[in-house]
Amino acid sequence: ISTPVPAMKEGDWYRLVFDGSAIPPREATFTICQAHSPWEQVGFFKTLSLNDFPQRFAFDFFASRSEADPIFRIAAGGGLSEIENTK
């Protein structure tokens, strides 16, 4: 699963907030990356254990590169609820 997120500027801080759950419980990988080849990360990568109870996750991170059209990719479960530039 992937969804577009706002453009990111190298060195700026961002907050990623999303809800995640999985049935059956399992690990899921979350990343913000380029929406094109070579699909490189833009500064966020996390593996989390999800269960059948929805949880809200929030992470601050800085963009490791500028990207005009990044995407939030989910390997299993979860969903994007908001992302904002917190500089």
Side-chain angles (χ1 to χ4, degrees):
I1 299 171
S2 65
T3 188
V5 295
M8 296 185 172
K9 183 178 175 188
E10 182 177 354
D12 280 358
W13 282 92
Y14 297 87
R15 174 168 289 141
L16 175 64
V17 179
F18 60 93
D19 297 323
S21 64
I23 300 173
R26 61 182 170 259
E27 286 192 341
T29 302
F30 302 85
T31 187
I32 295 180
C33 63
Q34 297 173 314
H36 52 80
S37 182
W39 306 96
E40 292 185 8
Q41 293 176 18
V42 181
F44 181 81
F45 179 88
K46 194 78 153 170
T47 299
L48 300 170
S49 293
L50 300 176
N51 58 42
D52 60 353
F53 182 78
Q55 301 172 72
R56 174 142 299 191
F57 298 95
F59 298 98
D60 293 328
F61 68 96
F62 77 97
S64 57
R65 66 177 65 241
S66 293
E67 182 62 36
D69 299 306
I71 57 173
F72 178 58
R73 295 184 76 182
I74 306 166
L80 179 68
S81 61
E82 61 184 278
I83 186 167
E84 60 184 283
N85 183 334
T86 61
K87 291 190 183 181

